[in-house]
Amino acid sequence: MSTPRRLTALLPDLSPWRSSRDFRLLFWQGTVTFLGSFMAMIALPLQIKGLTGSPLAVGAMGAVELVPLVVCGLYGGALADAVDRRRLILLTEAALGVLALVLLVNALLPDPLLWPLYVVAAGVSGLAGLQRPAIDSLMARIVPHDQMTAAAALNSIRYNIGAVAGPALAGLVVAYAGYAAAYVVTATGFAVSVLLCSRLSPAPPAHGAERPSLRGIAEGARYAWSRPVLLGTYAVDLAAMFFAFPNTIFPFLADELDAVWALGLMYGAGAVGSLLLGLTSGWTSKVRRHGLLVLCGATVWGLAIAAAGWSANVWLVLLCLAVAGAGDMLSGLGRATIWNQTIPDALRGRLAGIEVLSYSVGPQLGQVRAGTMAGWTGTRAAFWTGGVACVASVAVLAALLPKLFTYDARTDADALARRAAKASAGPASAGPTDAGSPDTLASSRP
């Protein structure tokens, strides 16, 4: 293979973009939402800080967000299996836009109030918990079976571009135009998002779907527990985040390295590493051992976090954090592909609700572990011991759940059953595939 062809093979696989109009709509909807949401994500804690001057008051925002996320994430998963997923996404986006308007009105008051900020933070977290399972479960319906890894890579590129550019733009808007301007951008973003979501194809529930209930949620949990491969994806992610998510102690590491100027770079380095892997992810579309991606990615994450703790040079630390982000991205591609290729559509929402918990609770607990460990052993030790523990836990889980290690999309019974179900459902199961039609978002985008 010639060098140009090798380089081309590294480029992101655009097959989902070409084959599914709904995927393109969700891609642009997510881009707009991410950029608008980052305005509020930066402005909200800064406004609380400005009103109270208290670190505790700012930290309390995380406490009011956690319970709604957990409760609504589980219920949102059951809801996504029982109602039209397009309608659920549309209504939650509209509700998020209303909450942005509440922030705007409060910011325009002569003396802005504190309590609405906490109410809105809890509301946003709850709505995100309701919406995320519907979006995640919709992906398996609108993207062809063999393009799941490529779709996950494209979605991660979108997210990481937002994670890098969003905070930078938000910081400028808040600094030079104020909180109200940031909330105007947020509300406008949700208005555009609602328009894009309104163009999605209907996504009705499976025939005979039950109403959301605790029994239905428990059924989803039992299914996950009965599938060692799925169980492994959740367990590996939880272990990696619990042992090796040290973001909360970045400020202390920056102080120890006498590089306070690099604190922002530390927070952004992981997203840069993820973005770089996403931009060179074409090869992942040919991988069929997605369990190996999960295990290898989590191992790279742990080793890189440990190396960051061992490094005394700030530039090496930043490089390690970027490598860690790439490892997390690799593991995420494997998890998303397994989820979308093996879970039946009738259970997809409920399992997506469990996924919300697996990748949201882990980082929360990881920050507690990192802060506690740093208080006992020092900042650098909290990094490298967590990284080593992450690698060790991944090795133990690989031994205890060998089906995750040996998973192969070409031979796995659940993956084959899901492929057959999509094939028997016909082209509609992959969503509208009007790449040749002039009435597409791709042809009308700027």
Side-chain angles (χ1 to χ4, degrees):
M1 182 184 292
S2 64
T3 300
R5 291 184 64 186
R6 289 194 185 98
L7 293 175
T8 301
L10 291 175
L11 295 176
D13 183 352
L14 300 179
S15 299
W17 179 274
R18 291 191 292 265
S19 64
S20 174
R21 173 180 177 271
D22 280 348
F23 178 82
R24 295 193 294 273
L25 285 168
L26 281 178
F27 184 94
W28 287 116
Q29 174 268 335
T31 301
V32 171
T33 299
F34 280 147
L35 291 175
S37 296
F38 271 116
M39 294 289 169
M41 287 172 60
I42 299 298
L44 197 55
L46 285 177
Q47 190 174 15
I48 294 175
K49 176 179 177 292
L51 290 174
T52 66
S54 168
L56 181 61
V58 177
M61 193 175 75
V64 303
E65 290 173 334
L66 183 59
V67 173
L69 178 64
V70 172
V71 174
C72 293
L74 287 173
Y75 181 73
L79 196 62
D81 285 334
V83 303
D84 188 309
R85 292 166 186 171
R86 168 186 171 274
R87 180 177 174 81
L88 180 56
I89 295 169
L90 187 61
L91 291 176
T92 49
E93 281 293 282
L96 287 166
V98 171
L99 291 181
L101 291 176
V102 172
L103 291 175
L104 173 60
V105 171
N106 185 62
L108 292 174
L109 294 176
D111 295 306
L113 302 172
L114 178 62
W115 65 265
L117 304 183
Y118 290 113
V119 172
V120 169
V124 167
S125 183
L127 287 169
L130 288 175
Q131 183 192 78
R132 185 64 184 263
I135 292 179
D136 287 352
S137 60
L138 186 60
M139 202 60 59
R141 184 176 291 191
I142 66 176
V143 175
H145 186 83
D146 292 333
Q147 297 176 12
M148 294 301 179
T149 306
L154 291 174
N155 282 332
S156 71
I157 291 173
R158 175 197 66 186
Y159 173 80
N160 286 301
I161 288 175
V164 173
L169 293 173
L172 291 174
V173 170
V174 172
Y176 291 102
Y179 302 120
Y183 299 142
V184 166
V185 174
T186 301
T188 302
F190 282 118
V192 174
S193 177
V194 167
L195 290 175
L196 291 172
C197 289
S198 68
R199 296 184 61 194
L200 289 169
S201 303
H207 179 69
E210 298 180 2
R211 294 172 60 87
S213 64
L214 291 176
R215 186 182 68 177
I217 294 172
E219 181 186 0
R222 284 195 299 270
Y223 180 86
W225 186 260
S226 70
R227 297 300 192 274
V229 175
L230 287 180
L231 198 60
T233 63
Y234 303 141
V236 168
D237 188 45
L238 281 170
M241 294 298 102
F242 175 74
F243 288 115
F245 191 80
N247 290 29
T248 193
I249 57 175
F250 280 169
F252 300 95
L253 182 62
D255 286 342
E256 288 192 15
L257 296 174
D258 194 24
V260 177
W261 56 269
L263 179 58
L265 297 178
M266 289 181 182
Y267 281 110
V272 171
S274 296
L275 179 59
L276 290 176
L277 182 66
L279 293 173
T280 56
S281 62
W283 61 274
T284 61
S285 294
K286 301 177 178 62
V287 173
R288 296 295 177 264
R289 299 282 301 278
H290 302 109
L292 274 180
L293 286 186
V294 175
L295 295 168
C296 291
T299 300
V300 170
W301 164 267
L303 289 174
I305 294 297
W310 289 321
S311 302
N313 181 285
V314 65
W315 294 108
L316 285 178
V317 169
L318 292 173
L319 177 62
C320 290
L321 294 177
V323 172
D328 187 43
M329 161 79 168
L330 192 65
S331 182
L333 291 181
R335 293 195 307 271
T337 304
I338 289 173
W339 295 340
N340 286 325
Q341 285 190 342
T342 65
I343 298 173
D345 189 66
L347 291 171
R348 190 68 191 86
R350 278 164 283 182
L351 271 293
I354 295 174
E355 291 154 21
V356 168
L357 299 186
S358 76
Y359 55 64
S360 60
V361 174
Q364 296 278 1
L365 296 177
Q367 294 192 81
V368 174
R369 184 217 65 87
T372 304
M373 196 74 180
W376 290 345
T377 65
T379 302
R380 304 279 288 281
F383 267 78
W384 72 258
T385 56
V388 171
C390 169
V391 174
S393 64
V394 170
V396 170
L397 289 170
L400 293 176
L401 299 167
K403 288 190 176 181
L404 177 63
F405 181 81
T406 59
Y407 173 87
D408 191 320
R410 296 165 295 190
T411 58
D412 180 80
D414 289 327
L416 293 175
R418 178 69 182 137
R419 179 197 294 272
K422 291 194 75 169
S424 64
S429 66
T433 54
D434 56 358
S437 167
D439 183 25
T440 66
L441 188 66
S443 63
S444 61
R445 72 184 189 277

Coordinates of all heavy atoms in Angstrom, one line a residue, residues 26-106:
L26 N -28.5 14.6 13.6 CA -28.1 14.5 15.0 C -26.7 15.0 15.2 O -26.3 15.6 16.3 CB -28.1 13.0 15.5 CG -29.5 12.5 15.9 CD1 -29.5 11.1 16.3 CD2 -30.1 13.3 17.0
F27 N -25.8 14.8 14.2 CA -24.4 15.4 14.3 C -24.5 16.9 14.4 O -23.8 17.5 15.3 CB -23.7 15.0 13.0 CG -22.2 15.4 13.1 CD1 -21.2 14.5 13.5 CD2 -21.8 16.6 12.7 CE1 -19.9 14.8 13.6 CE2 -20.5 17.0 12.7 CZ -19.5 16.1 13.1
W28 N -25.2 17.6 13.6 CA -25.3 19.0 13.7 C -26.0 19.5 14.9 O -25.7 20.5 15.5 CB -25.9 19.6 12.4 CG -25.0 19.5 11.2 CD1 -25.2 18.8 10.1 CD2 -23.7 20.2 11.1 NE1 -24.1 19.0 9.2 CE2 -23.2 19.8 9.8 CE3 -23.0 21.0 11.9 CZ2 -22.0 20.2 9.3 CZ3 -21.7 21.5 11.4 CH2 -21.3 21.1 10.2
Q29 N -27.1 18.7 15.3 CA -27.8 19.1 16.5 C -26.9 19.0 17.7 O -26.9 19.9 18.5 CB -29.0 18.1 16.7 CG -29.8 18.3 18.0 CD -29.3 17.4 19.1 OE1 -28.7 16.4 18.9 NE2 -29.5 17.8 20.3
G30 N -26.1 18.0 17.8 CA -25.2 17.8 18.9 C -24.1 18.9 18.9 O -23.7 19.4 19.9
T31 N -23.6 19.3 17.7 CA -22.6 20.3 17.6 C -23.1 21.6 18.2 O -22.5 22.3 19.0 CB -22.1 20.5 16.2 OG1 -21.6 19.2 15.7 CG2 -21.1 21.6 16.0
V32 N -24.3 22.0 17.7 CA -24.9 23.3 18.2 C -25.2 23.2 19.7 O -24.9 24.2 20.4 CB -26.2 23.5 17.4 CG1 -27.0 24.7 18.0 CG2 -25.9 23.8 15.9
T33 N -25.7 22.1 20.1 CA -26.1 22.0 21.6 C -24.8 22.0 22.4 O -24.8 22.7 23.5 CB -26.8 20.6 21.8 OG1 -28.0 20.6 21.1 CG2 -27.1 20.5 23.3
F34 N -23.7 21.3 22.0 CA -22.5 21.4 22.8 C -22.0 22.8 22.9 O -21.6 23.2 24.0 CB -21.4 20.5 22.1 CG -21.6 19.0 22.4 CD1 -21.2 18.1 21.4 CD2 -22.1 18.6 23.6 CE1 -21.4 16.7 21.7 CE2 -22.2 17.2 23.8 CZ -21.9 16.3 22.9
L35 N -21.9 23.5 21.8 CA -21.3 24.8 21.9 C -22.2 25.8 22.7 O -21.6 26.6 23.5 CB -21.1 25.4 20.4 CG -20.1 24.7 19.6 CD1 -20.1 25.2 18.2 CD2 -18.7 24.9 20.2
G36 N -23.5 25.7 22.6 CA -24.4 26.5 23.4 C -24.3 26.1 24.8 O -24.3 27.0 25.7
S37 N -24.3 24.8 25.1 CA -24.3 24.4 26.5 C -23.0 24.8 27.2 O -23.1 25.1 28.5 CB -24.5 22.8 26.6 OG -25.7 22.5 26.0
F38 N -21.9 24.8 26.5 CA -20.7 25.1 27.2 C -20.7 26.6 27.7 O -20.1 26.9 28.7 CB -19.5 25.0 26.3 CG -18.9 23.6 26.4 CD1 -18.9 22.7 25.3 CD2 -18.3 23.1 27.5 CE1 -18.3 21.5 25.3 CE2 -17.7 21.9 27.6 CZ -17.8 21.0 26.5
M39 N -21.5 27.4 27.1 CA -21.7 28.8 27.5 C -22.2 28.8 29.0 O -21.8 29.4 29.9 CB -22.6 29.6 26.6 CG -22.0 29.8 25.2 SD -20.6 31.0 25.3 CE -20.0 30.8 23.6
A40 N -23.3 28.0 29.1 CA -24.0 27.9 30.4 C -23.1 27.2 31.4 O -23.0 27.5 32.6 CB -25.3 27.2 30.3
M41 N -22.4 26.1 31.0 CA -21.5 25.3 31.9 C -20.4 26.2 32.5 O -20.0 26.0 33.6 CB -20.9 24.2 31.1 CG -21.9 23.1 30.8 SD -21.2 21.8 29.7 CE -19.8 21.2 30.7
I42 N -19.9 27.2 31.7 CA -18.9 28.1 32.2 C -19.5 29.2 33.0 O -19.0 29.6 34.1 CB -18.0 28.6 31.1 CG1 -17.3 27.5 30.3 CG2 -17.0 29.6 31.6 CD1 -16.4 26.7 31.2
A43 N -20.6 29.8 32.5 CA -21.2 30.9 33.1 C -21.9 30.6 34.5 O -21.8 31.4 35.4 CB -22.2 31.6 32.2
L44 N -22.5 29.5 34.6 CA -23.3 29.2 35.8 C -22.4 29.1 37.0 O -22.7 29.8 38.0 CB -24.0 27.8 35.6 CG -25.2 27.5 36.5 CD1 -26.2 28.6 36.5 CD2 -25.8 26.2 36.1
P45 N -21.3 28.3 37.1 CA -20.5 28.3 38.3 C -19.8 29.7 38.5 O -19.6 30.1 39.7 CB -19.4 27.2 38.0 CG -19.4 27.0 36.6 CD -20.8 27.3 36.1
L46 N -19.4 30.4 37.5 CA -18.8 31.7 37.7 C -19.8 32.7 38.3 O -19.5 33.5 39.1 CB -18.3 32.2 36.3 CG -17.0 31.6 35.8 CD1 -16.7 32.2 34.4 CD2 -15.9 31.8 36.7
Q47 N -21.1 32.6 37.9 CA -22.1 33.5 38.4 C -22.3 33.1 39.9 O -22.5 34.0 40.7 CB -23.4 33.4 37.6 CG -24.4 34.4 38.0 CD -25.6 34.5 37.2 OE1 -25.9 33.5 36.4 NE2 -26.4 35.5 37.2
I48 N -22.4 31.8 40.2 CA -22.5 31.4 41.6 C -21.3 32.0 42.5 O -21.5 32.5 43.6 CB -22.6 29.9 41.8 CG1 -24.0 29.4 41.1 CG2 -22.6 29.5 43.2 CD1 -24.1 27.9 41.1
K49 N -20.1 31.8 41.9 CA -18.9 32.4 42.6 C -19.0 33.9 42.8 O -18.7 34.4 43.8 CB -17.7 32.0 41.8 CG -16.4 32.6 42.3 CD -15.2 32.2 41.4 CE -13.9 32.8 41.9 NZ -13.9 34.3 41.7
G50 N -19.5 34.6 41.7 CA -19.7 36.0 41.9 C -20.7 36.4 42.9 O -20.5 37.5 43.6
L51 N -21.8 35.7 43.0 CA -22.8 36.0 44.0 C -22.5 35.7 45.4 O -22.9 36.3 46.3 CB -24.1 35.3 43.6 CG -24.8 35.8 42.3 CD1 -26.0 34.9 42.0 CD2 -25.3 37.2 42.4
T52 N -21.7 34.6 45.6 CA -21.4 34.1 46.9 C -20.0 34.3 47.4 O -19.7 34.4 48.6 CB -21.8 32.6 47.1 OG1 -20.9 31.8 46.2 CG2 -23.2 32.4 46.6
G53 N -19.0 34.2 46.5 CA -17.6 34.2 46.8 C -17.2 32.9 47.6 O -16.1 32.9 48.2
S54 N -18.0 31.9 47.5 CA -17.8 30.7 48.3 C -17.5 29.5 47.4 O -18.3 29.1 46.6 CB -19.0 30.4 49.2 OG -18.9 29.1 49.7
P55 N -16.3 28.8 47.6 CA -16.0 27.6 46.9 C -17.1 26.5 47.2 O -17.4 25.7 46.3 CB -14.6 27.2 47.4 CG -14.0 28.4 47.9 CD -15.2 29.2 48.4
L56 N -17.5 26.5 48.5 CA -18.5 25.5 48.8 C -19.8 25.6 48.1 O -20.4 24.7 47.6 CB -18.8 25.6 50.3 CG -19.8 24.6 50.9 CD1 -19.3 23.1 50.7 CD2 -20.0 24.8 52.4
A57 N -20.2 26.9 47.9 CA -21.5 27.2 47.1 C -21.3 26.7 45.7 O -22.3 26.2 45.1 CB -21.8 28.6 47.2
V58 N -20.1 26.9 45.1 CA -19.9 26.4 43.7 C -19.9 24.9 43.7 O -20.5 24.3 42.8 CB -18.6 27.0 43.2 CG1 -18.3 26.4 41.8 CG2 -18.6 28.5 43.1
G59 N -19.2 24.3 44.6 CA -19.2 22.8 44.7 C -20.5 22.2 44.9 O -20.8 21.1 44.4
A60 N -21.4 22.9 45.6 CA -22.7 22.3 45.8 C -23.5 22.1 44.6 O -24.5 21.3 44.5 CB -23.5 23.3 46.8
M61 N -23.1 22.8 43.5 CA -23.8 22.6 42.2 C -23.7 21.1 41.8 O -24.6 20.6 41.2 CB -23.2 23.5 41.2 CG -24.1 23.6 39.9 SD -23.5 24.8 38.7 CE -22.1 24.0 38.0
G62 N -22.5 20.5 42.0 CA -22.4 19.1 41.6 C -23.3 18.2 42.4 O -23.8 17.2 41.9
A63 N -23.5 18.6 43.7 CA -24.4 17.7 44.5 C -25.8 17.8 44.1 O -26.5 16.7 44.1 CB -24.2 18.2 46.0
V64 N -26.3 19.0 43.7 CA -27.7 19.0 43.2 C -27.9 18.4 41.9 O -29.0 18.1 41.5 CB -28.2 20.5 43.2 CG1 -28.0 21.1 44.6 CG2 -27.5 21.3 42.2
E65 N -26.8 18.2 41.1 CA -26.9 17.6 39.8 C -26.9 16.1 39.8 O -27.5 15.5 38.9 CB -25.8 18.1 38.9 CG -25.8 19.6 38.5 CD -24.6 20.0 37.8 OE1 -23.5 19.4 38.0 OE2 -24.7 21.0 37.0
L66 N -26.3 15.5 40.8 CA -26.0 14.0 40.8 C -27.3 13.2 40.9 O -27.6 12.3 40.1 CB -25.1 13.7 41.9 CG -24.7 12.2 41.9 CD1 -24.0 11.8 40.6 CD2 -23.7 11.9 43.1
V67 N -28.2 13.5 41.9 CA -29.4 12.7 42.1 C -30.3 12.8 40.9 O -30.8 11.7 40.4 CB -30.1 13.1 43.4 CG1 -31.4 12.4 43.5 CG2 -29.2 12.8 44.6
P68 N -30.6 14.0 40.3 CA -31.5 14.0 39.1 C -30.9 13.2 38.0 O -31.7 12.6 37.2 CB -31.6 15.5 38.8 CG -31.3 16.2 40.1 CD -30.3 15.4 40.8
L69 N -29.6 13.3 37.8 CA -29.0 12.5 36.7 C -29.2 11.0 36.9 O -29.5 10.3 35.9 CB -27.5 12.9 36.7 CG -26.7 12.1 35.6 CD1 -27.2 12.5 34.2 CD2 -25.2 12.4 35.7
V70 N -29.0 10.5 38.1 CA -29.1 9.1 38.3 C -30.6 8.6 38.2 O -30.9 7.7 37.4 CB -28.6 8.7 39.7 CG1 -28.9 7.3 40.1 CG2 -27.1 9.0 39.8
V71 N -31.5 9.4 38.8 CA -32.9 9.0 38.8 C -33.4 9.1 37.4 O -34.1 8.2 36.8 CB -33.7 9.8 39.8 CG1 -35.2 9.5 39.6 CG2 -33.2 9.6 41.2
C72 N -33.2 10.3 36.7 CA -33.8 10.5 35.4 C -33.1 9.7 34.3 O -33.7 9.3 33.3 CB -33.7 12.0 35.1 SG -34.8 13.0 36.1
G73 N -31.8 9.3 34.6 CA -31.1 8.5 33.6 C -31.7 7.1 33.5 O -32.0 6.6 32.4
L74 N -32.0 6.5 34.7 CA -32.7 5.2 34.7 C -34.1 5.3 34.1 O -34.5 4.5 33.3 CB -32.7 4.7 36.1 CG -31.4 4.2 36.7 CD1 -31.5 3.8 38.1 CD2 -30.8 3.0 35.9
Y75 N -34.9 6.3 34.6 CA -36.2 6.4 34.1 C -36.2 6.8 32.6 O -37.1 6.3 31.8 CB -37.0 7.5 34.9 CG -38.4 7.6 34.4 CD1 -39.4 6.7 34.7 CD2 -38.8 8.7 33.6 CE1 -40.7 6.8 34.3 CE2 -40.1 8.9 33.2 CZ -41.0 7.9 33.5 OH -42.3 8.0 33.1
G76 N -35.3 7.6 32.2 CA -35.2 8.0 30.8 C -34.9 6.8 29.9 O -35.4 6.8 28.7
G77 N -34.1 5.9 30.4 CA -33.9 4.7 29.6 C -35.2 3.9 29.4 O -35.4 3.4 28.3
A78 N -36.0 3.7 30.4 CA -37.2 3.0 30.3 C -38.2 3.8 29.4 O -38.9 3.2 28.6 CB -37.9 2.8 31.7
L79 N -38.2 5.1 29.5 CA -39.0 6.0 28.7 C -38.7 5.9 27.2 O -39.6 5.8 26.3 CB -38.9 7.4 29.2 CG -40.0 8.4 28.8 CD1 -41.4 7.9 29.3 CD2 -39.7 9.8 29.3
A80 N -37.4 5.8 26.9 CA -36.9 5.7 25.5 C -37.4 4.4 24.8 O -37.6 4.4 23.6 CB -35.4 5.8 25.5
D81 N -37.6 3.4 25.6 CA -38.2 2.1 25.0 C -39.7 2.1 24.9 O -40.2 1.3 24.2 CB -37.8 0.9 25.9 CG -36.3 0.6 25.8 OD1 -35.7 0.9 24.7 OD2 -35.7 0.0 26.7
A82 N -40.3 3.1 25.5 CA -41.8 3.1 25.5 C -42.5 4.2 24.7 O -43.7 4.1 24.4 CB -42.3 3.2 27.0
V83 N -41.7 5.2 24.2 CA -42.3 6.3 23.5 C -41.5 6.5 22.2 O -40.4 5.9 22.0 CB -42.3 7.6 24.3 CG1 -43.1 7.4 25.6 CG2 -40.9 8.1 24.7
D84 N -42.0 7.4 21.4 CA -41.2 7.8 20.2 C -40.0 8.6 20.6 O -40.0 9.6 21.3 CB -42.1 8.7 19.3 CG -41.5 9.0 18.0 OD1 -40.3 9.5 18.0 OD2 -42.1 8.9 17.0
R85 N -38.8 8.0 20.3 CA -37.5 8.6 20.8 C -37.3 10.0 20.2 O -36.7 10.9 20.8 CB -36.4 7.7 20.4 CG -36.4 6.4 21.2 CD -35.5 5.3 20.7 NE -35.7 4.1 21.4 CZ -35.2 2.9 21.1 NH1 -34.4 2.8 20.0 NH2 -35.4 1.8 21.8
R86 N -37.7 10.2 18.9 CA -37.6 11.5 18.3 C -38.4 12.6 19.1 O -37.9 13.7 19.4 CB -38.1 11.5 16.9 CG -38.3 12.9 16.3 CD -39.0 12.7 14.9 NE -39.4 14.0 14.3 CZ -40.6 14.6 14.6 NH1 -41.4 14.0 15.4 NH2 -40.9 15.8 14.0
R87 N -39.6 12.2 19.5 CA -40.4 13.1 20.3 C -39.8 13.4 21.7 O -39.9 14.6 22.1 CB -41.8 12.5 20.5 CG -42.8 13.4 21.3 CD -44.2 12.7 21.3 NE -45.1 13.5 22.2 CZ -45.8 14.5 21.8 NH1 -45.6 15.0 20.6 NH2 -46.6 15.1 22.7
L88 N -39.3 12.4 22.3 CA -38.6 12.6 23.6 C -37.4 13.6 23.5 O -37.2 14.5 24.3 CB -38.2 11.3 24.2 CG -37.5 11.3 25.5 CD1 -38.3 11.9 26.6 CD2 -37.1 9.8 25.9
I89 N -36.6 13.4 22.5 CA -35.5 14.3 22.2 C -35.9 15.7 22.0 O -35.4 16.7 22.5 CB -34.6 13.8 21.1 CG1 -34.0 12.4 21.4 CG2 -33.5 14.8 20.7 CD1 -33.4 11.7 20.2
L90 N -37.0 15.8 21.2 CA -37.5 17.2 20.8 C -38.0 17.9 22.1 O -37.7 19.1 22.3 CB -38.6 17.0 19.8 CG -39.1 18.3 19.1 CD1 -38.1 19.0 18.4 CD2 -40.3 17.9 18.2
L91 N -38.8 17.2 22.9 CA -39.4 17.8 24.1 C -38.3 18.2 25.1 O -38.4 19.3 25.7 CB -40.4 16.9 24.7 CG -41.7 16.7 23.9 CD1 -42.6 15.6 24.6 CD2 -42.5 18.0 23.7
T92 N -37.3 17.3 25.3 CA -36.3 17.7 26.3 C -35.4 18.8 25.8 O -35.0 19.6 26.6 CB -35.4 16.4 26.6 OG1 -35.0 15.8 25.4 CG2 -36.2 15.4 27.4
E93 N -35.1 18.9 24.5 CA -34.4 20.0 24.0 C -35.1 21.3 24.2 O -34.6 22.3 24.6 CB -34.1 19.8 22.5 CG -33.0 18.9 22.1 CD -31.6 19.4 22.6 OE1 -31.1 20.3 21.9 OE2 -31.1 18.9 23.6
A94 N -36.4 21.3 23.9 CA -37.3 22.5 24.1 C -37.3 22.9 25.6 O -37.2 24.1 25.9 CB -38.7 22.2 23.6
A95 N -37.4 21.9 26.5 CA -37.3 22.2 27.9 C -36.0 22.8 28.4 O -35.9 23.7 29.2 CB -37.7 20.9 28.7
L96 N -34.9 22.3 27.8 CA -33.6 22.8 28.1 C -33.5 24.3 27.6 O -32.9 25.1 28.3 CB -32.5 22.0 27.4 CG -32.3 20.6 28.1 CD1 -31.4 19.7 27.2 CD2 -31.6 20.8 29.4
G97 N -34.1 24.6 26.5 CA -34.1 25.9 26.0 C -34.9 26.9 27.0 O -34.5 28.0 27.2
V98 N -36.0 26.4 27.5 CA -36.7 27.2 28.5 C -35.9 27.5 29.7 O -35.9 28.6 30.3 CB -38.0 26.4 28.9 CG1 -38.7 27.1 30.1 CG2 -39.0 26.3 27.7
L99 N -35.1 26.5 30.2 CA -34.3 26.7 31.4 C -33.2 27.7 31.0 O -32.8 28.5 31.9 CB -33.6 25.4 31.8 CG -34.6 24.3 32.4 CD1 -33.8 23.1 32.8 CD2 -35.3 24.9 33.6
A100 N -32.7 27.7 29.8 CA -31.7 28.7 29.4 C -32.3 30.1 29.5 O -31.7 31.1 29.9 CB -31.2 28.4 28.0
L101 N -33.6 30.2 29.1 CA -34.3 31.5 29.2 C -34.5 31.9 30.7 O -34.4 33.1 31.0 CB -35.6 31.4 28.5 CG -35.6 31.3 27.0 CD1 -37.0 31.1 26.4 CD2 -34.9 32.5 26.3
V102 N -34.7 31.0 31.6 CA -34.8 31.3 33.0 C -33.5 31.9 33.5 O -33.5 32.9 34.2 CB -35.1 30.0 33.8 CG1 -35.0 30.3 35.3 CG2 -36.5 29.6 33.4
L103 N -32.4 31.3 33.1 CA -31.1 31.9 33.4 C -30.9 33.3 32.9 O -30.3 34.2 33.6 CB -29.9 31.0 32.9 CG -29.8 29.6 33.6 CD1 -28.7 28.8 32.8 CD2 -29.4 29.7 35.0
L104 N -31.3 33.5 31.7 CA -31.2 34.8 31.0 C -32.0 35.8 31.8 O -31.5 36.9 32.1 CB -31.7 34.7 29.6 CG -31.8 36.1 28.8 CD1 -30.4 36.8 28.8 CD2 -32.3 35.8 27.4
V105 N -33.3 35.5 32.1 CA -34.1 36.5 32.8 C -33.5 36.8 34.2 O -33.5 37.9 34.6 CB -35.5 35.9 33.0 CG1 -36.4 36.8 34.0 CG2 -36.2 35.8 31.6
N106 N -33.0 35.8 34.9 CA -32.4 36.0 36.2 C -31.2 36.9 36.1 O -30.9 37.7 36.9 CB -32.0 34.6 36.8 CG -31.5 34.8 38.2 OD1 -32.2 35.3 39.1 ND2 -30.3 34.4 38.5

